[in-house]
Amino acid sequence: MSKPIHVLHVLGGVGLGGAESRIMDLYRQMDREKVQFDFLVHSTAASRSANNDINVRKPQFYDEEIRSLGGHIYVLPKFKVYNYVSYRRAVQAFFAAHREFRVVQGHMTSTAGIYLPIAKRAGVPVTVAHARNAGVVKGPKGLATRFFRRGLAKKADCCFACSALAGQDVFGGEAVKAGKVKVIYNAIDVGRFTYNEKVRQQVRADLGISEALVLGHVGRFEYQKNHPYLIEIFAAVCRKRPDACLLLLGEGEDRLSTEEKCWQLGIADRVHFLGNRKDAERFYQAMDLFLLPSFFEGLPGVLVEAQAAGLRCLVSDTVTDEAKATDLVTYLGIDESTTRWAEEILRQADYVRRDTAQELREAGFDVRTQALGYQQFYLGESAERIGKAQ
């Protein structure tokens, strides 16, 4: 029997994030006798030994599962701009030592313009730049990201994007007009999130919120997700609904400041900080509405998950309408008052949950179908089944 081909995914890490979760969804569906995933991540500790594996960095959320599926995790030093020369050398050393990859797929587009051309020169047959977001953080870091992304469409064999908006933002209008960019939605395991009344009641009982109006959010505690505004929206809801509570799933550098804001607004006892969860699908069942007031997104997988759970969703109008797979999504401006958001939440709070699985499958968000298309692409066959050209 022939050995599987190896696909290398380049990421900042393999923690519980949107891009990481979507890649793992695909990985679970791959025929691993034909296609095997490996991962190249970035870590401060990696500067001591760029070619070492998982042992030179702190364990992350998906480490164990990746190993159990047969994947390898390799490490590069974090890119800090000032270490441009040493970073390039580390990348060159890595690809000189690893000739086994048929495809290198770069989800970390801030430095894809560095590592993808090096991979190509080292003999990798296919390089892919994959746009996962439609915006950057403010300040020097965002400016640096824009600078190093320049001309990225010309530095990769293929350009993928999770939405048309992300493709435009990362690769530019010229590449889009030329048909260089293929949009591939962030697909999920739809059946995993299908609404389940029994699970809903169990989770709500466990949390002591059986009779509450339960709002929810899933995402990293970072600038992009706009947690301060989210907390202010919830405070406005609490003034009208004393029974309201908020479930927050995720971790991140802004978690502590978010907790402090809850105390300042006098709502700390109504906010449940649940951390990273392997069973996030259970908590969607417990929610009544899902909130996503982000500054920017690519195509948020959590919004697709929430719709798969039959949840009504209130989302910032900065999020692409490509993520609206059902009529459950309402868009609001983040420049509007928190009172306006609260009013809409309360207006929509009373509804009957339904099974949306077929709607999501028909809209192209089913990971099982998408995985077959990816597998064909990785094996050198047609890529038509995994997306659409823009």
Side-chain angles (χ1 to χ4, degrees), residues 68-292:
S68 71
L69 294 174
H72 295 89
I73 302 172
Y74 304 100
V75 187
L76 284 174
K78 280 189 176 180
F79 181 68
K80 301 288 188 179
V81 180
Y82 63 79
N83 68 340
Y84 175 82
V85 174
S86 61
Y87 180 80
R88 279 186 59 90
R89 287 174 179 165
V91 175
Q92 289 168 339
F94 175 80
F95 284 107
H98 294 275
R99 303 282 185 173
E100 67 268 32
F101 305 115
R102 187 186 183 281
V103 180
V104 173
Q105 190 165 345
H107 308 272
M108 187 176 173
T109 56
S110 56
T111 55
I114 301 173
Y115 60 76
L116 289 181
I118 292 174
K120 192 68 178 180
R121 288 193 294 271
V124 173
V126 180
T127 60
V128 180
H130 199 144
R132 293 285 187 175
N133 233 326
V136 297
V137 297
K138 292 182 178 180
K141 185 176 180 180
L143 292 173
T145 295
R146 295 285 190 204
F147 177 82
F148 285 103
R149 277 180 180 169
R150 293 181 309 165
L152 179 56
K154 298 178 180 178
K155 298 176 182 178
D157 295 322
C158 304
C159 297
F160 294 169
C162 64
S163 67
L165 191 63
Q168 177 78 30
D169 185 78
V170 174
F171 300 115
E174 185 177 333
V176 171
K177 289 179 182 178
K180 174 80 173 177
V181 181
K182 180 181 283 291
V183 170
I184 305 172
Y185 292 154
N186 288 333
I188 67 168
D189 183 352
V190 172
R192 176 183 164 198
F193 295 90
T194 300
Y195 180 61
N196 185 309
E197 177 67 22
K198 183 177 180 180
V199 173
R200 171 184 172 83
Q201 298 302 333
Q202 182 63 61
V203 174
R204 290 168 72 99
D206 290 345
L207 292 174
I209 55 173
S210 293
E211 304 303 321
L213 169 65
V214 182
L215 311 182
H217 172 84
V218 180
R220 286 192 180 108
F221 287 85
E222 58 183 23
Y223 167 79
Q224 173 186 345
K225 302 300 182 181
N226 202 10
H227 281 91
Y229 186 64
L230 172 62
I231 297 303
E232 290 172 7
I233 291 170
F234 178 62
V237 171
C238 289
R239 288 193 286 271
K240 298 287 186 179
R241 287 287 297 264
D243 63 328
C245 72
L246 177 64
L247 308 184
L248 297 177
L249 278 71
E251 293 288 355
E253 59 185 17
D254 292 342
R255 173 169 170 165
L256 181 59
S257 62
T258 304
E259 291 179 355
E260 290 174 350
K261 189 173 184 68
C262 291
W263 283 104
Q264 291 168 2
L265 293 175
I267 56 173
D269 60 333
R270 303 191 194 183
V271 182
H272 299 255
F273 289 83
L274 300 173
N276 289 335
R277 304 292 301 230
K278 290 184 178 180
D279 58 347
E281 68 277 6
R282 292 175 55 82
F283 293 91
Y284 284 110
Q285 312 305 318
M287 299 173 190
D288 293 308
L289 292 105
F290 182 79
L291 308 181
L292 192 70

Side-chain angles (χ1 to χ4, degrees), residues 2-19:
S2 60
K3 294 182 178 180
I5 63 106
H6 282 255
V7 176
L8 183 70
H9 291 276
V10 185
L11 294 151
V14 286
L16 186 59

Side-chain angles (χ1 to χ4, degrees), residues 324-373:
K324 186 176 180 177
T326 69
D327 62 1
L328 295 170
V329 179
T330 299
Y331 291 91
L332 292 170
I334 51 176
D335 55 349
E336 295 200 46
S337 70
T338 56
T339 300
R340 171 73 183 90
W341 279 71
E343 289 172 348
E344 189 64 24
I345 288 168
L346 296 176
R347 187 183 73 82
Q348 295 200 26
D350 186 19
Y351 65 102
V352 178
R353 297 278 278 272
R354 70 175 194 266
D355 186 340
T356 60
Q358 189 57 35
E359 293 174 71
L360 288 163
R361 292 187 179 105
E362 291 175 356
F365 290 102
D366 179 48
V367 74
R368 288 177 171 82
T369 301
Q370 191 178 95
L372 292 174

